[in-house]
Amino acid sequence: MTDATGTADARGADRILTVPNVLSFIRLLGVPVFLYLVLVAHADVWALILLAASSITDWADGKLARLLDQTSRLGALLDPAVDRLYIVATLVALVARDIVPWWIAVVLVGRELVLAPTLAVYRRRELPPPEVLYLGKGATFLLMCALPLMLGAVAVPASEPVTGPLGWAALIWGTVLYVWTGLLYLAQAVVTARNVPVGR
C-alpha cells in the first residue's frame, strides 16, 4: 500500500500538464508582451492591466495547485522563477523609463546573482532547493505591489497622490526584506556546504 502510494505521489510530482503549470506558462509568455507595452508602445495602462492579471494568476495557480491536488516539481520551480522574472523585467522597464532609480534594480538583481551559485551546493549534495521563507514571500509580495503602483502613478496621473507614496513605501520595505532574506538563504547554503558531505 505504501509503495503504491509513494509511486503515485512520485508520478504526481513529475506532472507537467497541470492547470497551475499552464497558468505559469501563460504568465511567462506575458513578460515580453509587458516589456513591449512599456518600452516600445508606451501603453502604460495596458501594461498595468497585464501586471494585475499576472498577479491574480500568480495567486490563483497556488490555490488551484492545492485545491486540485496538482502540485508538481515543475510548478515548485516555475512559479517562483516567473515571479522573479516579472520583478526583473518590470524593474528594467521602469528604470529605463526613469520611474525607478537604477540603484534599486542593482540591489535586487544583485541579490539574485549572488544566490544563483548557491543552488549548486544543494545539487552536489543531492538535496532539493531550500524551502521558500515566508518572509521572502512577503518581500516578493511587496515588490509585486510596489512596481504596479509606481507604474500606475505614471499611467493614471490623477492617482499619483495615492499610488506614488504607497508604491515607494512598498518598494523600500520590499527591497529591505528581499535583501535580508537573501542573506538568510546565503547563510543556509554556507551551513549546508559545511555540514553535509558532497554526494551524501
Side-chain angles (χ1 to χ4, degrees), residues 121-187:
V121 171
Y122 299 96
R123 279 198 297 268
R124 293 184 64 194
R125 288 157 180 79
E126 300 175 8
L127 295 171
E131 291 281 333
V132 176
L133 298 172
Y134 280 105
L135 198 60
K137 290 182 179 180
T140 302
F141 174 77
L142 283 172
L143 291 173
M144 293 187 76
C145 289
L147 299 175
L149 283 169
M150 299 186 78
L151 180 60
V154 176
V156 186
S159 71
E160 198 279 333
V162 175
T163 55
L166 285 176
W168 274 106
L171 182 64
I172 291 168
W173 279 106
T175 300
V176 170
L177 290 177
Y178 209 61
V179 171
W180 175 245
T181 52
L183 293 173
L184 294 179
Y185 286 128
L186 186 60

Side-chain angles (χ1 to χ4, degrees), residues 11-176:
R11 281 199 299 266
D14 288 333
R15 287 178 298 188
I16 293 176
L17 192 59
T18 65
V19 173
N21 287 351
V22 169
L23 286 176
S24 291
F25 278 120
I26 292 172
R27 290 174 61 223
L28 183 62
L29 294 174
V31 173
V33 177
F34 171 80
L35 289 173
Y36 170 80
L37 291 172
V38 176
L39 297 178
V40 180
H42 284 204
D44 296 334
V45 172
W46 285 109
L48 189 60
I49 291 170
L50 180 58
L51 268 186
S54 172
S55 297
I56 292 169
T57 52
D58 179 36
W59 171 82
D61 65 16
K63 286 288 184 184
L64 289 171
R66 291 185 288 273
L67 287 174
L68 302 176
D69 190 25
Q70 291 187 347
T71 56
S72 65
R73 290 192 184 95
L74 176 62
L77 294 173
L78 185 61
D79 184 51
V82 174
D83 286 345
R84 289 185 177 91
L85 188 57
Y86 258 103
I87 290 173
V88 170
T90 307
L91 273 172
V92 169
L94 298 189
V95 168
R97 291 276 304 276
D98 291 324
I99 298 171
V100 171
W102 63 268
W103 62 267
I104 291 280
V106 169
V107 168
L108 295 178
V109 174
R111 183 253 202 197
E112 296 303 315
L113 294 177
V114 168
L115 288 182
T118 64
L119 293 176
V121 171
Y122 299 96
R123 279 198 297 268
R124 293 184 64 194
R125 288 157 180 79
E126 300 175 8
L127 295 171
E131 291 281 333
V132 176
L133 298 172
Y134 280 105
L135 198 60
K137 290 182 179 180
T140 302
F141 174 77
L142 283 172
L143 291 173
M144 293 187 76
C145 289
L147 299 175
L149 283 169
M150 299 186 78
L151 180 60
V154 176
V156 186
S159 71
E160 198 279 333
V162 175
T163 55
L166 285 176
W168 274 106
L171 182 64
I172 291 168
W173 279 106
T175 300
V176 170

